[in-house]
Amino acid sequence: MTPPIFNLGDEVEVIGTDRYGNDTDKTKFTIVMMWADDGKTFYSDRYKPWYPASSLRLVEELEIG
């Protein structure tokens, strides 16, 4: 299965472990940094660890009206 691709500014929810396998708090954040290493892309904000795409889920916004 191909991991999802996120973009800067996407709001995501943490559903897995960080880059090193540490289980962290399952919070939401907006992606402001991306980093590629060894064929994988990792995502973070200024205060979170780096997460692989497989540990994140896009937060869907409901449009009302």
Side-chain angles (χ1 to χ4, degrees):
M1 182 174 138
T2 305
I5 297 173
F6 299 107
N7 297 302
L8 294 175
D10 284 350
E11 185 177 4
V12 294
E13 180 179 9
V14 178
I15 59 170
T17 59
D18 69 12
R19 177 175 182 239
Y20 299 105
N22 297 316
D23 193 24
T24 60
D25 60 339
K26 308 297 189 231
T27 59
K28 297 177 185 175
F29 68 92
T30 300
I31 295 172
V32 297
M33 299 184 294
M34 297 168 48
W35 170 57
D37 182 36
D38 202 22
K40 291 184 179 180
T41 303
F42 299 92
Y43 305 90
S44 185
D45 73 358
R46 288 180 177 85
Y47 307 103
K48 299 275 186 217
W50 291 100
Y51 292 97
S54 60
S55 291
L56 301 173
R57 175 174 52 209
L58 186 64
V59 175
E60 301 289 336
E61 292 185 23
L62 296 176
E63 293 185 28
I64 301 173

